[in-house]
Amino acid sequence: MDTVGRDDRLGAAGGRPGAQRHADLAAPEGVALSYRVWKDGQTISGDLTACGEMDCAGAEQHRISAFAAAGDRMIAGTSDGRVWTTADGGQSWERASRGCPRRTPVVA
């Protein structure tokens, strides 16, 4: 995936204008979160928000808002209701929320 410098990752969140790293969300050492998951300065996911699948207004407001990790398994929930999971450290992501009613509250 993409490799970026510290300023890109923490400032513009890797390319989306106005997007910011979610500083209040706890993540394991070496992991940073925005609308993507970053590990050791490289993206290990694409855009996990709705903006990754369609044009959306207010893209800077869409971000990862819930995150959990145990070993290579990670779960990421977004502010627009999507839930993604990976069991291989970010090599592949599966949308776990597909088929759920729109705006279904997810408690992690």
Side-chain angles (χ1 to χ4, degrees):
M1 297 244 165
D2 299 332
T3 303
V4 297
R6 178 178 164 76
D7 292 339
D8 289 339
R9 187 176 72 235
L10 299 180
R16 184 187 293 167
Q20 297 294 315
R21 177 179 174 265
H22 195 310
D24 297 331
L25 194 58
E29 183 70 29
V31 174
L33 306 166
S34 60
Y35 60 97
R36 303 177 185 198
V37 179
W38 301 81
K39 186 170 184 182
D40 300 325
Q42 295 187 14
T43 60
I44 60 168
S45 76
D47 185 341
L48 299 180
T49 71
C51 300
E53 298 174 352
M54 66 184 101
D55 289 335
C56 57
E60 66 279 358
Q61 300 300 317
H62 297 258
R63 64 177 184 257
I64 295 171
S65 56
F67 186 80
D72 283 344
R73 179 168 298 281
M74 296 178 226
I75 301 171
T78 66
S79 59
D80 50 25
R82 286 165 167 68
V83 178
W84 295 84
T85 185
T86 180
D88 57 15
Q91 296 287 321
S92 62
W93 290 83
E94 181 178 335
R95 186 166 162 202
S97 58
R98 192 171 309 282
C100 291
R102 188 177 163 110
R103 297 286 186 193
T104 301
V106 176
V107 179

